[in-house]
Amino acid sequence: MTTTTALPTPARVGSGGWRTGFTGTTALLRLALRRDRVLATCWILVFVAMAAGSAAASQGVYPTQQARVRAASAINDTPAMVALYGRVFDPTSLGAVSLIKLGAFGAALVALVAIFSVVRHTRGEEEAGRLELVGAAVVGRYSALTAALLLAIGTSIVLALLTALSLVGAGLPADGALAFGLSWAGAGVAFAAIGALAAQVTESARTANGIGAAVLAVAYLLRATGDVTGVDDSTWPSWLSPIGWAQQVRPFAGDRWWVLVNLLVFAALVAAAAYALVARRDHGAGLVAARPGRAAAQPRLRSPLALAARLHRGALVGWLVGMALGGLLFGSIASQVGALADTPEAREMIRRLGGERGLTDAFLATELGILGVVVAAYGISAALRMRGEETAGRLEPVLATGVGRLRWAASHVIVALGGAALLLVTVGLGAGFAHGAATENFGEIGRVLAAALVQLPAVWVLTGITVLLVGAAPRLAVLSWAALVLFLLLGQLGSLMRLPGWMIDLSPFGHTPKLPGAELELTPLVSLTLIAAILLTVGLSAFRRRDIG
């Protein structure tokens, strides 16, 4: 007589109720924490160090109340500065003045990290097929989304507390320090929810990241519009933006704690919409269905380069539109900088930000430098597509044909490098045309275009770092984003924090000529290009030798 023992059957989840829908959340959260332990730690340390360093350095830069009032007036009287960083709500406060560059701008960076984190652990896992394997066990339909949100929320809270402690250690009041940290955390929580919703809309993690970044850009633009149009305070457009809400907490300038409720309520509503979509869509599907492809590939897709260009086409078009709008906006503002800066302090502030020959050239040099950093984000994203194709299992079928590894990888690198160059050309032409139209001197187009293109070698260095990580240490490839944020903060706050020259020089953007206005120096451009070439060569060589997957 044979005795059989029945194995326990996994509970049927997904539509089996609210309670079973969260089964396995703790296990998935532990897994996400383990996967992000290095990356999340790097993000937190970079933000905390920059906040503390800025606060500590400002005590020497603005030792008296009179010095702080002059600096605050220089910022508040310059609409371009207000649009970038926001208003100083209390000119007498050391904390309000010293952390103005990290208020709205820092909140936007924290929000971007939160978006990428949630999309990575939801739509990214689903797209790669790993979430389907996990879902075959006793894991509820809402578990992955909940774990991703808890990870983003927890990281934001830890960042807030450590930032507050570092600011207190730098000598700032505890109440304002906590308010500043929580304003960052509030932005992170709000945009984590936006990332969760974006992950339900589309079937692609890249598209979901793009949607989240687009919402963030609109929020930042609303905040900038509300701050610039107000005389002594922000107007209603700023109150339509989660970034505006984070800024309106006003750390060290009244500490309006109640504004944090706006961020929490907004996050709860958006997250609820994300949960509703999870319960109503099929696994792997999105709210917007992907269009079916052609039954047979077109002849022009026979080469790896043509395939790579096709894969990057949608993202590149979106970036081109955004860069064109950004160039037109900054070009139109540039012609008004001289008239807007009606105080000696305002003129000195703009001169210190970049450039050497006039306020207009200084403003253009500064803004084109910032847009160059933004274009570097495209280079990183495009280079990381290689890793995405590999982890999704789409690389091996291609290599099973006559296509070699080096040829396949080089095709994505060419698209990343060429796409970055095209974006900078678009920025330069847009800014040059708008500036030329405003000044009735279209000869400015060539000068502004050259000022945009000198950013290209630095952008290529970031792309090279990404390719090196993909080739030599693919599990750490996402650290290229940490490198971008580090270089950005070094450029924005390095001199203010009085960091050693060698540390500021780590940023490739610190070596680009500040055109228009400064003399064109070819040596740093050639050096950066050679460094980028070395990084790309080593990365491609490592990719050719390592195991796939």
Side-chain angles (χ1 to χ4, degrees), residues 319 323 369-383 416 420 423-424 455-456 458-463 466 480-481 484 487 508-509:
W319 277 89
M323 289 297 101
I370 293 175
L371 290 176
V373 177
V374 175
V375 172
Y378 166 81
I380 292 175
S381 176
L423 289 174
L424 287 174
Q455 308 294 327
L456 187 56
V459 172
W460 282 352
V461 169
L462 267 297
T463 306
T466 307
S480 53
W481 292 112
L484 176 65
F487 294 154
F509 295 97

Side-chain angles (χ1 to χ4, degrees), residues 82-130:
V82 174
L84 283 176
Y85 303 116
R87 291 186 173 276
V88 180
F89 293 108
D90 184 357
T92 64
S93 169
L94 176 62
V97 174
S98 63
L99 295 173
I100 181 61
K101 284 189 175 183
L102 288 178
F105 192 70
L109 292 177
V110 173
L112 193 63
V113 173
I115 291 171
F116 288 169
S117 175
V118 172
V119 172
R120 181 190 182 199
H121 291 289
T122 53
R123 177 56 64 178
E125 293 294 286
E126 197 167 339
E127 185 181 13
R130 290 186 290 267

